[in-house]
Structures are given as structure tokens and as C-alpha cells.
């Protein structure tokens, strides 16, 4: 069995190693996606526009759902799959960047996904704006070797062109919506309409050619809409669409409450995690209440809630009325790696550092970002921390036992403390802050933004869930970009969830 990052630095992907074979899967030319590019930021403007002038996604989603209903989609939006009593499925989140950080996870995903019944993409199928012309290199090509159906929950980036391409690919080639009537002049709606990015026409020949990459009968999946439920064996998997701004509209909220009834154990999959970075984000429903109210209701029998959007892995086992609900972040499937070293010492909903898990480990995250910014700023000698230095200083700042012991001769120096502070490394809750909060936030945002990288280790991850009538075994597998982890993906976290 391959070492994990909790076992050795080599298991985390540090040091010399045989490079992975994932590049053989990639197209000859890959356009590097820069999230600092003004062109990319302008193309992805709809989230900002919605926050300023009102979010229309609830209304648009309702129109998509009505169109699917008129085409014969089941009214309850439940997909009923015939599976064995014991079966497995995959979950991978925030996949569609189309570069090394996505493709490096594919070989391990295919290895770990052998004999699974289906997979679910949890949020952000396609970056940067969910366009139809990007599905070839960012969905059909990378997952052409996965033999089973793939379902998906859209993320905010899939909504940047009003979900049109997502509906075509996952929802029976649903045709585009008709334009809405123009809003009254000089209203919030008129300003939104003026600034809103509209869907671009698809290259139909290109889309048809790339669809052929996943054309086998066993690979086909048709969803009733952007939100759905799957009845499979002893569990019901409920997928919700949180749109541009991480909320649920009233119609979807009513459906969620209805589909959650009954004694069958349930797993929620959402575009926005409910616990993340040591904080609780219950996800508002427009008609009142929250998604987490539904999850916590003992009559609904939820055992886990898995969310994408944040590009790493986190797990919070929360005690709810005498039972444990596993709240999981699973957005590490392809996009740039969001830092974990910025997560403060965890103390939320009675979950402490003892129970909390994350991947990458905080020390590895800090080492990764120190090298990234050492290169970017031309200050490698000052910024770059070894994995042992980063592990040691992170443990000191948080007051925790590290997930992997640093080397025996590792010292925490003034330089390592300065670098850790500049890169936003978390602290203990009782730490006396040197800076006021707004200043610390500025430092964190300036020096620890999400950023793409094109060489290992990548710290990507995906989940496999093995279901029996008695339990669900959830495992987080890692992908570093090295060959050893492609052939035998290491398990970074594992938990068995009782169903009875």
C-alpha cells in the first residue's frame, strides 16, 4: 500500500519521484487558466452582478425545471437505479480546469473507481464560465475511461452562462431558454441585464464530436434537472443546486423537504459545504429555514452532507441529537488547491482538532504556498519552507500535534514564523492577535489567494463510498501527480458511517 501524507513526506508527494502518466491523457495544447487575468474575471462577473443587483438564478432554475417536467422528467426528480445490495460510487468536486491539476487526478480516480456503479461531480463541472465549448477537454476527454454514468450538481461557475451548457450535457440535451422580457428602465433589474454575461452559442460540431468520447450505453446518465435524488440500494443520495450565491430557492427548498422524508438513510451532495474552514454555513432557503435544518432533522435520517466549491478535503463529524452526521468538503478534484494552513484551530459544533481531518495537511499546504510565492516574488531563499519547517511552524501557531511529524532536526526560526504569518497560517482561538482582524484579513487575501500550479505535488483528492445495508465506508484518496499514487492511490482519510 502506498504511503499517505500522514505517513511520510514522500507519501505527500515531496521529493524526487517518477512522474505520473496523466499527461498522456491531456490534449496537445492546454490553455492555462489564470484567475488573475482581467479577461477571466470579466467573463466570470455574473456572481458579482447578482450580489449587487439581485440574484436571478432561482427564477432561471425554475424555468429549467419546468422545461424538463414538460419533456417528461419525473415530478419527484428521483432517479431510481438498480444496484446490488452492496455497491460503491465516486464523488469528485470542482473538476473542470482542464489543465495538469485536473488531469493528474484522473488515473487515480479511474483506479479507485473500478467496479463502482456511478460517479457524482459536486460543483463546478466547467471553469471558468461553464461554456459548452469547454466540455470536450474538461469533462468528456478526462473521464472517457470511466465506464459508468456520471451525474453532476452545478456550481457557481456552471451558472455564469445561465446553466445552458450543463442542461444540455446532463439533462437530455435540454434546448436553451427563451429570453425574458426586458426589465423596466433604471431599476436594479435593468442594470443587471446591462452587465449580465449571456450564454455564447455552442460549436455544435465540436460538442457532438466530444460527446462521442463518452458514448457507450453504460456511461449514459440523464438527470431530471440541476437538482435531483438517486435511490440506490439502501440509501438515497440527494443533490441540490446552490446557484451563484450559495442559496436555495423556495421551490427547490420545498422539494428538498419533501424528498428528505422517510426512514431511508440519506447523503446530501451540495455545491456549497455546510461546514468549512472551521465555520458553519447552514445555507439559507429563500422561503425560510436552512438546508442544514433539513439535514439535522432526525426524521430525515441524513448520515452525511458532502459539498464542493472549496478546493480541498475537510471532514467534521458533528453530533446531532445523539447521532453523528459527517460533514465533508470534497472540492479537490481538479481546480487549484485552496489552502488548508489558513484554517484556524478547529472548534465548531463540538468538533475539535482531535476529530477534524483535512487534506492536504496544513504543513504541506503552507510548504506548497511558500514555494509558489517564493517563485512568484523572486524571493525563493526567504519564502520557501521545507515541508518539515512548514509542519513545525504550523503546529506551533495552532498548538496542535502535526498530522505528520517533522524531521528530528527541524527548528522554528524567526524567518519561518514571518513567512507563516505572511501566508495567513491559522492560530489558536485564544491567541492574542498582533494585528486587528481587518489587517490580518488583508494579509491573508493578499498572500494566500487560490492559485494554479503546473508541477507536482498537486494535492488533489476524490471520494469513494462503499455502501452496504449496515454502513457506508467513506474514503478520501489523494492524487499528487506522481506515478506511484496513480497506480495505488493513497487513502488520506477513512470513516465508517453506521446506517442502523
Amino acid at each position: 500500500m502506498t504511503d499517505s501524507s500522514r505517513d511520510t513526506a514522500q507519501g505527500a508527494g515531496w521529493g524526487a519521484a517518477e512522474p505520473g502518466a496523466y499527461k498522456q491523457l491531456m490534449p496537445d495544447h492546454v490553455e492555462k487558466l489564470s484567475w488573475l487575468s482581467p479577461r477571466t474575471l470579466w467573463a466570470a462577473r455574473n456572481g458579482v452582478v447578482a450580489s449587487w443587483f439581485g440574484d436571478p438564478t432561482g427564477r432561471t432554475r425554475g424555468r429549467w425545471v419546468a422545461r424538463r417536467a414538460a419533456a417528461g422528467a419525473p415530478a419527484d426528480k428521483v432517479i431510481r437505479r438498480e444496484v446490488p445490495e452492496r455497491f460503491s460510487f465516486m464523488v469528485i468536486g470542482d473538476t473542470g480546469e482542464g489543465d495538469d491539476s485536473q488531469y493528474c487526478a484522473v488515473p487515480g480516480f479511474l483506479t479507485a473507481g473500478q467496479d463502482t456503479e456511478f460517479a457524482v461531480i459536486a460543483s463546478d463541472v466547467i471553469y471558468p464560465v461553464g461554456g459548452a465549448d469547454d466540455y470536450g477537454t474538461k469533462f468528456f476527454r478526462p473521464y472517457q475511461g470511466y465506464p459508468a454514468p456520471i451525474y453532476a450538481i452545478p456550481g457557481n461557475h456552471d451558472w455564469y452562462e445561465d446553466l445552458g451548457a450543463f442542461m444540455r450535457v446532463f439533462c437530455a440535451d435540454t434546448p436553451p431558454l427563451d429570453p425574458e422580457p426586458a426589465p423596466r428602465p433604471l431599476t436594479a433589474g435593468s442594470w443587471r441585464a446591462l452587465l449580465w454575461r449571456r450564454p455564447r452559442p455552442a460549436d455544435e460540431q465540436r460538442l457532438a464530436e466530444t460527446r462521442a468520447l463518452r458514448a457507450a450505453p453504460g456511461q449514459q446518465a440523464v438527470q431530471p434537472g440541476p437538482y435531483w435524488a438517486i435511490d440506490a440500494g439502501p440509501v438515497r443520495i440527494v443533490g441540490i443546486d446552490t446557484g451563484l450565491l450559495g442559496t436555495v430557492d423556495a421551490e427547490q427548498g420545498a422539494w428538498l423537504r419533501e424528498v428528505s422524508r422517510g426512514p431511508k438513510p440519506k447523503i446530501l451532495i451540495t455545491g456549497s459545504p455546510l461546514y468549512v474552514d472551521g465555520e458553519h454555513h447552514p445555507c439559507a432557503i429563500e422561503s425560510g429555514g436552512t438546508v442544514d435544518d433539513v439535514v439535522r432533522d432526525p426524521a430525515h435520517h441524513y448520515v452525511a452532507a458532502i459539498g464542493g466549491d472549496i478546493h480541498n478535503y475537510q471532514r467534521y463529524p458533528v453530533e446531532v441529537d445523539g447521532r453523528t452526521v459527517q460533514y465533508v468538503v470534497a472540492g479537490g478534484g481538479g481546480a487549484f488547491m485552496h489552502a488548508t494552513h489558513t484554517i484556524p484551530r478547529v472548534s465548531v459544533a463540538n468538533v475539535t482538532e482531535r476529530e477534524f481531518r483535512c487534506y492536504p495537511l496544513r504543513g504541506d499546504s503552507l510548504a506548497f504556498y511558500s514555494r509558489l510565492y517564493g517563485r512568484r516574488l523572486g524571493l525563493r531563499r526567504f519564502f520557501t519552507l521545507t515541508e518539515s519547517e512548514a509542519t513545525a511552524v504550523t503546529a506551533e501557531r495552532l498548538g496542535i500535534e502535526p498530522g505528520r511529524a517533522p524531521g528530528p532536526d527541524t527548528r522554528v526560526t524567526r524567518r519561518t514564523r514571518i513567512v507563516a504569518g505572511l501566508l495567513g497560517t491559522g492560530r489558536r482561538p485564544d491567541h492574542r492577535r498582533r494585528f486587528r482582524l481587518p489587517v490580518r484579513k488583508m494579509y491573508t487575501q493578499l498572500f494566500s489567494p487560490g492559485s494554479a500550479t503546473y508541477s507536482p505535488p498537486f494535492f488533489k483528492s476524490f471520494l469513494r463510498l462503499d455502501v452496504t445495508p449496515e454502513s457506508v465506508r467513506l474514503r478520501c484518496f489523494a492524487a499528487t501527480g506522481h506515478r506511484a499514487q496513480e497506480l495505488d492511490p493513497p487513502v488520506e482519510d477513512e470513516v465508517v458511517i453506521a446506517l442502523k
Side-chain angles (χ1 to χ4, degrees):
M1 180 179 293
T2 305
D3 284 348
S4 75
S5 68
R6 293 181 175 271
D7 299 318
T8 63
Q10 290 73 26
W14 300 114
E18 181 184 356
Y22 69 88
K23 284 186 177 291
Q24 299 173 15
L25 305 175
M26 298 176 67
D28 294 333
H29 173 72
V30 175
E31 182 177 353
K32 293 185 177 181
L33 178 61
S34 171
W35 290 105
L36 302 178
S37 162
R39 180 180 178 183
T40 301
L41 294 174
W42 176 246
R45 65 188 178 271
N46 282 2
V48 175
V49 174
S51 67
W52 287 352
F53 301 111
D55 184 2
T57 55
R59 184 173 65 251
T60 304
R61 184 187 296 114
R63 297 174 68 205
W64 284 121
V65 169
R67 175 159 288 190
R68 288 290 293 127
D76 61 3
K77 301 174 184 60
V78 176
I79 303 162
R80 294 170 173 85
R81 290 197 58 87
E82 296 295 329
V83 299
E85 188 178 50
R86 298 169 181 265
F87 76 99
S88 303
F89 68 100
M90 304 293 288
V91 176
I92 186 168
D94 298 82
T95 52
E97 201 161 275
D99 51 21
D100 292 67
S101 65
Q102 176 177 8
Y103 278 85
C104 77
V106 172
F109 175 84
L110 297 178
T111 298
Q114 292 177 11
D115 72 14
T116 54
E117 294 288 331
F118 56 89
V120 178
I121 297 178
S123 181
D124 291 343
V125 181
I126 301 294
Y127 295 101
V129 296
D133 291 348
D134 285 332
Y135 268 86
T137 57
K138 299 178 181 181
F139 175 71
F140 289 109
R141 185 186 184 103
Y143 306 116
Q144 61 183 307
Y146 181 69
I150 299 177
Y151 301 95
I153 286 297
N156 57 313
H157 287 269
D158 299 305
W159 270 100
Y160 286 159
E161 287 199 353
D162 291 340
L163 210 65
F166 181 97
M167 294 297 295
R168 290 199 61 182
V169 170
F170 292 102
C171 301
D173 216 13
T174 305
L177 295 174
D178 298 325
E180 289 193 289
R184 288 182 299 157
L186 301 179
T187 63
S190 68
W191 288 109
R192 183 177 65 233
L194 178 66
L195 296 171
W196 200 255
R197 177 186 172 89
R198 305 294 175 187
R200 301 301 190 262
D203 182 332
E204 297 296 335
Q205 180 177 349
R206 181 177 177 181
L207 183 59
E209 290 173 352
T210 56
R211 280 182 188 270
L213 297 175
R214 281 189 51 84
Q219 294 177 312
Q220 303 313 300
V222 177
Q223 300 178 189
Y227 57 92
W228 41 259
I230 299 174
D231 274 349
V235 298
R236 170 170 284 186
I237 302 154
V238 179
I240 61 171
D241 170 17
T242 55
L244 278 173
L245 301 182
T247 60
V248 169
D249 63 276
E251 180 183 355
Q252 184 180 184
W255 169 85
L256 174 62
R257 291 186 174 98
E258 179 64 29
V259 81
S260 298
R261 292 178 179 174
K264 177 173 276 194
K266 298 173 186 72
I267 299 169
L268 181 74
I269 299 182
T270 168
S272 301
L274 303 181
Y275 282 87
V276 60
D277 294 347
E279 298 176 349
H280 184 208
H281 297 269
C283 188
I285 298 174
E286 289 180 359
S287 55
T290 69
V291 170
D292 202 29
D293 292 340
V294 177
V295 171
R296 288 170 172 264
D297 189 330
H300 294 158
H301 299 277
Y302 277 91
V303 297
I306 302 170
D309 189 50
I310 302 301
H311 307 164
N312 53 46
Y313 171 82
Q314 301 173 43
R315 180 170 64 84
Y316 302 81
V318 177
E319 294 294 323
V320 179
D321 295 327
R323 61 197 172 94
T324 300
V325 178
Q326 300 290 340
Y327 290 87
V328 176
V329 178
F336 64 84
M337 185 264 282
H338 276 136
T340 58
H341 67 269
T342 57
I343 302 172
R345 181 168 171 167
V346 169
S347 179
V348 61
N350 293 320
V351 177
T352 68
E353 283 291 330
R354 184 181 297 274
E355 298 85 26
F356 171 69
R357 295 290 183 271
C358 69
Y359 176 79
L361 297 175
R362 289 184 178 97
D364 290 329
S365 171
L366 177 58
F368 174 96
Y369 271 88
S370 76
R371 297 180 186 208
L372 176 67
Y373 278 94
R375 292 194 303 269
R376 277 193 175 175
L377 301 176
L379 297 171
R380 296 191 187 197
R381 291 187 63 183
F382 175 75
F383 259 98
T384 302
L385 304 180
T386 68
E387 60 275 11
S388 283
E389 290 173 329
T391 296
V393 72
T394 301
E396 177 188 84
R397 287 174 66 92
L398 289 165
I400 62 172
E401 289 294 322
R404 181 182 70 246
D409 299 326
T410 303
R411 294 188 307 114
V412 177
T413 65
R414 185 168 181 266
R415 179 185 71 88
T416 59
R417 291 188 180 105
I418 290 172
V419 172
L422 287 174
L423 294 176
T425 306
R427 284 285 201 179
R428 301 186 300 272
D430 60 351
H431 174 73
R432 184 177 179 181
R433 297 183 187 275
R434 183 176 177 183
F435 302 115
R436 289 177 298 174
L437 183 60
V439 178
R440 285 192 56 78
K441 282 189 174 181
M442 178 191 73
Y443 270 68
T444 299
Q445 291 169 0
L446 179 62
F447 288 101
S448 293
S451 186
T453 185
Y454 299 98
S455 59
F458 290 102
F459 298 110
K460 299 292 97 186
S461 57
F462 46 86
L463 309 182
R464 174 173 169 137
L465 290 88
D466 302 307
V467 181
T468 73
E470 296 78 29
S471 66
V472 174
R473 180 172 66 157
L474 183 153
R475 286 178 288 172
C476 171
F477 289 91
T480 65
H482 293 314
R483 185 61 175 157
Q485 285 89 354
E486 290 181 347
L487 297 173
D488 185 12
V491 177
E492 290 291 337
D493 186 36
E494 178 173 350
V495 62
V496 176
I497 306 167
L499 297 183
K500 294 181 179 180

